[in-house]
Amino acid sequence: MTVHKPDPSTLDLSDVEWQVPTFDSGGGGNCMRFALKGQWILVGDTEDPDGAPLVFTRQEFEAAILGAKAGEFDHLAGLA
């Protein structure tokens, strides 16, 4: 089944409550931010708060989180 995600520029983000990880990115608060908008998970950049976020389904976001927990992306952060 193909999911048709909305164009991020068409989303009204005025009521979105962004969450920022508590882990320090080492950049003085520059990091990713996350939010829920209806059925969509939004991922944005705190350095570009007016920029369009990436839009994911819950299933896509879950797969990414489980992969991160399993260490699949450790090499990207220099942890492996």
Side-chain angles (χ1 to χ4, degrees):
M1 178 177 150
T2 302
V3 176
H4 297 285
K5 298 179 199 176
D7 179 335
S9 66
T10 66
L11 294 174
D12 176 9
L13 303 178
S14 62
D15 63 343
V16 168
E17 293 186 30
W18 291 100
Q19 292 179 264
V20 178
T22 58
F23 289 87
D24 183 16
S25 67
N30 301 328
C31 57
M32 298 168 68
R33 61 186 189 160
F34 305 90
L36 180 63
K37 176 71 176 177
Q39 64 181 350
W40 310 110
I41 304 293
L42 308 178
V43 179
D45 185 346
T46 59
E47 289 187 83
D48 186 13
D50 296 324
L54 299 173
V55 179
F56 297 97
T57 65
R58 287 181 187 252
Q59 293 80 12
E60 289 171 325
F61 194 72
E62 177 183 3
I65 293 296
L66 292 174
K69 285 183 176 182
E72 294 177 6
F73 310 112
D74 287 359
H75 66 287
L76 298 174
L79 299 173

